[in-house]
Amino acid sequence: MSHKNNQTIRCTVNQCRYHEQTENYCSLDGITVGTHETNPTEDKCTDCLSFERGK
Ligand code: SF4
């Protein structure tokens, strides 16, 4: 699978299969962000729902 470097989504989660490994970018055209909290108050309350475990 060829990864393209989408320079509009920065990401440091290099354990994700969609992470562009040489730089801190996501290779997807778009992602979905959500929350696991009922009342999110900080950045750590949010999650990338497009995350998939790397190979
Ligand atoms: S899908 Fe989400 S976690 Fe995975 S590289 Fe893209 S932005 Fe990062």
Side-chain angles (χ1 to χ4, degrees):
M1 176 173 152
S2 69
H3 281 250
K4 69 185 161 64
N5 190 348
N6 179 355
Q7 298 199 348
T8 63
I9 304 173
R10 293 184 55 77
C11 180
T12 59
V13 186
N14 60 16
Q15 295 83 2
C16 177
R17 68 179 297 159
Y18 299 121
H19 191 265
E20 202 288 323
Q21 292 295 322
T22 56
E23 297 180 64
N24 283 330
Y25 292 109
C26 177
S27 63
L28 297 176
D29 291 334
I31 62 166
T32 300
V33 176
T35 183
H36 54 274
E37 304 282 348
T38 52
N39 183 26
T41 55
E42 302 176 76
D43 57 352
K44 67 184 179 186
C45 301
T46 64
D47 309 293
C48 177
L49 300 181
S50 302
F51 171 89
E52 286 187 30
R53 189 176 178 180
K55 293 176 279 293

